[in-house]
Amino acid sequence: MKDPTRPPAASSPTPASEPLRPLSLDAIVFGSGRRTAVIDGRAYQEGDRHAGLTVQRIHRRSVRLLDNGRARELTLSPAPDVRALQRTQ
């Protein structure tokens, strides 16, 4: 039985109060029958788990995952606008 006059024990912060770690969505390969996302240099497929990450769904431009039980969505940054240089003579 718990003593109601005893102060509550100090507890460690809950996962929801901890800041999210930075993750980089580097690339997505989206083809027939195969979807792969590269997150922080590591390739993942739907359902893969590693270091607290669980990849739930890979879309064409984003990835839905769980990060230590917290839902997150990573989005690919737009590709830079590349223009050809014109040479002057």
Side-chain angles (χ1 to χ4, degrees):
M1 184 169 182
K2 188 175 179 180
D3 181 359
T5 62
R6 186 175 183 164
S11 61
S12 61
T14 61
S17 66
E18 294 178 8
L20 293 172
R21 61 181 153 175
L23 294 173
S24 172
L25 178 57
D26 303 322
I28 293 176
V29 178
F30 195 93
S32 60
R34 183 173 179 163
R35 299 174 183 186
T36 303
V38 180
I39 302 170
D40 287 343
R42 180 178 170 82
Y44 292 87
Q45 292 184 337
E46 292 177 349
D48 283 354
R49 296 174 185 209
H50 176 73
L53 294 180
T54 302
V55 175
Q56 295 180 311
R57 184 80 172 154
I58 300 172
H59 302 280
R60 291 186 187 277
R61 304 275 316 149
S62 65
V63 176
R64 189 175 62 226
L65 53 86
L66 292 176
D67 183 358
N68 290 317
R70 295 171 66 185
R72 291 184 69 176
E73 184 148 355
L74 304 177
T75 304
L76 278 176
S77 298
D81 190 20
V82 179
R83 298 178 187 178
L85 294 176
Q86 295 181 2
R87 293 184 181 202
T88 57
Q89 293 180 351

